[in-house]
Amino acid sequence: GENVEQHPSTLSVQEGDSAVIKCTYSDSASNYFPWYKQELGKGPQLIIDIRSNVGEKKDQRIAVTLNKTAKHFSLHITETQPEDSAVYFCAATSIGGYQKVTFGTGTKLQVIP
Amino acid sequence: GAGVSQSPSNKVTEKGKDVELRCDPISGHTALYWYRQSLGQGLEFLIYFQGNSAPDKSGLPSDRFSAERTGGSVSTLTIQRTQQEDSAVYLCASSRLVSRGQETQYFGPGTRLLVL
């Protein structure tokens, strides 16, 4: 089955700096890679996703890149703000009998004002 | 425009008791997932329902765990004879299959279970 690794597990940045979270996956058949943000006491919420036919996608301060050859994808947050502090999860879907999603172990991002 | 809802939001129970956790998916979503998240940990897949297909129960940790989805909508996760290690946040998610292998899951707020 699919295996998703996520690094780093924790990340502290100064407000205004950029943050990068990296994930690798094992199943070359995976073709959809969502990123979720989980704030304290809440369920994860989708913030951006990328499909295998695209190498990069950007939404305001958030961007995701995908390298299918190397089987890794990354989340980039620019001009970080205190409200970006949360746990971020990457995920990948592996085509099988259905679309089971495998999540990374999460990155706790702290933006220091 | 309601999202995924879960109830109760918090549940405290005694070891050995049974608990039922409820999930109301977004209307029209055919897929429903249950996950478990222990404190500071990632998401552990438990079970998946898709339409009328047989559910994927491969993630259930023991036979004390079971889940049902009635009428293709509401789902109930039941934990029998709860143990302290069952304490966690139980998250439900639903999705509308966009295309094979590509879907977006929408999560509920979770049920925080504490077994004393």
Side-chain angles (χ1 to χ4, degrees):
Chain A
E2 176 66 276
N3 181 49
V4 177
E5 294 188 356
Q6 182 171 348
H7 301 281
S9 56
T10 60
L11 179 61
S12 292
V13 299
Q14 293 288 332
E15 181 178 358
D17 288 350
S18 295
V20 180
I21 302 171
K22 298 182 179 181
C23 289
T24 61
Y25 62 98
S26 61
D27 190 342
S28 57
S30 290
N31 64 356
Y32 175 62
F33 308 92
W35 286 87
Y36 289 85
K37 175 183 180 182
Q38 185 176 28
E39 297 177 332
L40 192 63
K42 298 182 179 180
Q45 300 297 311
L46 179 74
I47 56 171
I48 194 169
D49 57 17
I50 190 167
R51 286 159 171 77
S52 59
N53 58 345
V54 176
E56 183 175 0
K57 183 177 179 180
K58 188 173 182 180
D59 182 4
Q60 299 183 341
R61 298 185 297 108
I62 296 174
V64 58
T65 59
L66 170 65
N67 184 328
K68 283 189 66 68
T69 302
K71 294 205 284 289
H72 65 70
F73 55 113
S74 301
L75 178 71
H76 304 252
I77 305 174
T78 58
E79 301 173 19
T80 53
Q81 301 170 2
E83 53 265 36
D84 295 331
S85 297
V87 178
Y88 291 81
F89 292 96
C90 63
T93 60
S94 178
I95 297 174
Y98 64 92
Q99 292 70 41
K100 181 177 179 179
V101 179
T102 302
F103 287 86
T105 50
T107 296
K108 184 176 182 179
L109 173 64
Q110 181 184 20
V111 179
I112 304 168
Chain B
V4 177
S5 61
Q6 292 185 246
S7 60
S9 55
N10 293 280
K11 177 70 176 180
V12 180
T13 190
E14 294 179 347
K15 178 182 174 180
K17 295 288 181 68
D18 298 351
V19 295
E20 284 190 354
L21 312 180
R22 177 186 168 105
C23 172
D24 283 272
I26 294 172
S27 177
H29 282 194
T30 58
L32 187 148
Y33 304 77
W34 283 98
Y35 297 89
R36 179 169 69 176
Q37 186 175 34
S38 299
L39 186 62
Q41 301 299 308
L43 299 169
E44 177 188 4
F45 167 78
L46 297 178
I47 188 169
Y48 165 88
F49 295 91
Q50 170 59 50
N52 295 321
S53 301
D56 177 357
K57 305 179 181 180
S58 63
L60 295 179
S62 76
D63 58 9
R64 296 187 294 105
F65 288 72
S66 63
E68 291 184 344
R69 189 177 185 192
T70 55
S73 180
V74 172
S75 177
T76 302
L77 177 67
T78 301
I79 308 173
Q80 295 178 312
R81 305 181 302 281
T82 52
Q83 303 295 313
Q84 289 181 335
E85 58 263 30
D86 298 335
S87 298
V89 175
Y90 290 82
L91 291 161
C92 175
S94 70
S95 70
R96 177 176 56 86
L97 189 62
V98 177
S99 62
R100 187 171 178 83
Q102 301 180 359
E103 62 180 15
T104 297
Q105 293 189 18
Y106 296 88
F107 284 84
T111 293
R112 286 150 191 80
L113 175 66
L114 177 61
V115 181
L116 301 176

